[in-house]
Amino acid sequence: MVVIGAGMIGAACADALALRGLQVAVLDRGPVAGGTTGAGEGNLLVSDKGPGPELELAVESLRLWRELADDLGAHALEYEPKGGLVVARDPRAFAELQASARLQRTAGVTAAEVPADALGELEPHLARELAGGVHYPQDAQVQPALAVAALLRRARGTGRVRLLAGTTVTGLAEGRVETDTHGPLHCAAVVNAAGTWGGEVAALAGATLPVLPRRGFILVTEPLPPLVRHKVYAADYVADVASGSADLQSSAVVEGTAAGPVLIGASRERVGFDRSLSVPVLARLAAQAAELFPVLSDVRAMRAYRGFRPYLPDHLPAIGPDPERPWLVQACGHEGAGIGLAPATARLVAQLLDGEKPFMDPAPFGPGRFGKEQS
Ligand SMILES: Cc1cc2nc3c(=O)[nH]c(=O)nc-3n(C[C@H](O)[C@H](O)[C@H](O)COP(=O)(O)OP(=O)(O)OC[C@H]3O[C@@H](n4cnc5c(N)ncnc54)[C@H](O)[C@@H]3O)c2cc1C
């Protein structure tokens, strides 16, 4: 078995396959977690998803993250089951948030309404003039690069996983993976976990997968004493996530980290792989974060970084065999949720490769759903 990509999805797939007794080679043209995984955040969220296949995948994935934290040690992943708090600025937004929480509850999500006067008990530094919020205790957090390392360590510990970093896949055919440094590798199946580059890798086999980059910036503050207890964001964030527009969307998602800096995400825009730093976007994120947490107005930003989310037009990942090439299993296009969705994605991939009944219907993630269209 060859897994292309040593990001969060590739690492989770390699681990799941190795635990089933399969021999796996993990290939990455760069270092471990050197793609989007090393350039994002580690929110594990059910709160931002409406009922449907993605939420079903997320609920299972968060359950698996809890198992991983038990098995590998929460410390090894910087796993923090801190819960999420979504807040509404006005009564209309609060009513919409409450309606969405009611729907989410029917899909296995725990969501507790928080009246405006109780928000301060959950988040003492939160702005006072909010209309209310919903608390999501299932939401959690990991440090993505650490999580990748921990999963690959366990996978390699089985003795069945080889990691070939610095190895670019240059060609794909049934039973054969061409590489630049290790010659051809022979294998029964290939898992395409190449994230934002998943479309390029699929094309090596003649398959079509319209994965596009969706850029996001993260602002990192100086280390602070604990100020923010949950992942906190305004309800408008959910609309930003769901938007298909190429234009800039931004709404602050604020989270503390074990090391002290507060991470402020997240902007979204489709500008190709443009790596230039956008001060206006960062200023907008900072202002939105300070609106939620006025105490952040006086805090210095230490640095900022950007990454490119693997975006598919319907915001769902591609998981499963290519319809015309069953040996090529796609596992990419998770956009802004690839860390959260990784363990359940890996479980689906392993079940599909093993011929086992999958834990959920994988049809909505079917890679054939885009036909031969190019975006
Ligand atoms: C700003 C930002 C914030 C985010 N916040 C969150 C969050 O809070 N929670 C969440 O769940 N998700 C978040 N995400 C999204 C998440 O980071 C991604 O969905 C996830 O990292 C995708 O993982 P991956 O393994 O599919 O891709 P990647 O980590 O990009 O891994 C793919 C790998 O494939 C390799 N590769 C590509 N082509 C080849 C080739 N030809 N040969 C060999 N190797 C190849 C690349 O080098 C790369 O390492 C965020 C993303 C961004 C940008």
Side-chain angles (χ1 to χ4, degrees):
M1 208 67 64
V2 165
V3 173
I4 304 173
M8 192 70 254
I9 301 294
C13 288
D15 179 57
L17 294 169
L19 292 181
R20 283 171 181 256
L22 296 160
Q23 300 285 334
V24 184
V26 182
L27 274 51
D28 200 298
R29 63 183 174 195
V32 166
T36 308
T37 296
E41 289 180 272
N43 297 311
L44 317 177
L45 304 183
V46 289
S47 55
D48 65 344
K49 298 172 182 67
E54 194 189 17
L55 181 57
E56 199 181 338
L57 194 66
V59 169
E60 170 64 358
S61 221
L62 265 67
R63 186 189 71 73
L64 292 171
W65 271 118
R66 285 192 293 278
E67 269 185 22
L68 284 168
D70 287 344
D71 293 351
L72 301 170
H75 186 67
L77 314 168
E78 276 188 17
Y79 175 80
E80 282 190 76
K82 53 168 56 173
L85 180 64
V86 186
V87 295
R89 292 181 224 274
D90 54 54
R92 190 190 50 79
F94 190 31
E96 281 173 14
L97 185 58
Q98 287 167 306
S100 141
R102 275 194 291 279
L103 285 175
Q104 288 169 314
R105 279 187 209 108
T106 64
V109 172
T110 307
E113 286 170 26
V114 187
D117 60 3
L119 285 171
E121 284 164 37
L122 290 175
E123 286 292 343
H125 296 283
L126 200 57
R128 295 280 163 245
E129 49 291 334
L130 294 163
V134 174
H135 177 224
Y136 291 89
Q138 280 152 305
D139 284 359
Q141 176 176 323
V142 291
Q143 210 287 3
L146 279 183
V148 168
L151 282 170
L152 284 178
R153 204 177 308 121
R154 174 166 81 174
R156 294 174 79 188
T158 63
R160 289 187 281 276
V161 173
R162 266 198 313 159
L163 173 65
L164 304 178
T167 303
T168 301
V169 172
T170 54
L172 282 178
E174 184 167 5
R176 192 178 164 97
V177 176
E178 305 286 345
T179 71
D180 60 344
T181 50
H182 284 78
L185 303 178
H186 299 278
C187 57
V190 174
V191 178
N192 174 9
T196 310
W197 303 274
E200 291 167 28
V201 166
L204 293 175
T208 302
L209 211 50
V211 190
L212 292 172
R214 198 175 183 196
R215 185 172 75 176
F217 285 104
I218 305 287
L219 200 54
V220 186
T221 73
E222 60 187 323
L224 299 169
L227 286 179
V228 183
R229 298 176 179 173
H230 302 81
K231 3 216 83 260
V232 182
Y233 61 90
D236 355 342
Y237 169 78
V238 177
D240 284 2
V241 172
S243 167
S245 165
D247 298 340
L248 172 69
Q249 286 93 40
S250 90
S251 49
V253 178
V254 184
E255 61 172 289
T257 61
V262 169
L263 302 186
I264 301 166
S267 60
R268 293 176 143 74
E269 56 193 325
R270 280 200 282 114
V271 289
F273 284 103
D274 179 354
R275 295 188 60 80
S276 49
L277 196 78
S278 169
V279 175
V281 175
L282 295 173
R284 193 159 136 176
L285 283 175
Q288 288 171 328
E291 224 179 273
L292 284 180
F293 288 94
V295 64
L296 292 177
S297 320
D298 299 325
V299 160
R300 274 169 302 194
M302 195 168 62
R303 65 188 176 94
Y305 59 90
R306 99 286 288 141
F308 299 95
R309 301 178 186 87
Y311 163 94
L312 278 168
D314 59 3
H315 300 283
L316 289 179
I319 308 172
D322 178 84
E324 291 170 30
R325 305 157 191 83
W327 52 271
L328 176 62
V329 177
Q330 312 288 11
C332 56
H334 294 73
E335 204 184 325
I339 311 302
L341 300 177
T345 297
R347 182 163 184 225
L348 263 188
V349 165
Q351 287 177 323
L352 291 168
L353 278 167
D354 241 2
E356 194 179 285
K357 187 175 182 312
F359 73 88
M360 69 176 283
D361 177 10
F365 308 122
R369 69 190 190 273
F370 302 106
K372 299 218 178 289
E373 82 194 44
Q374 296 289 340
S375 69

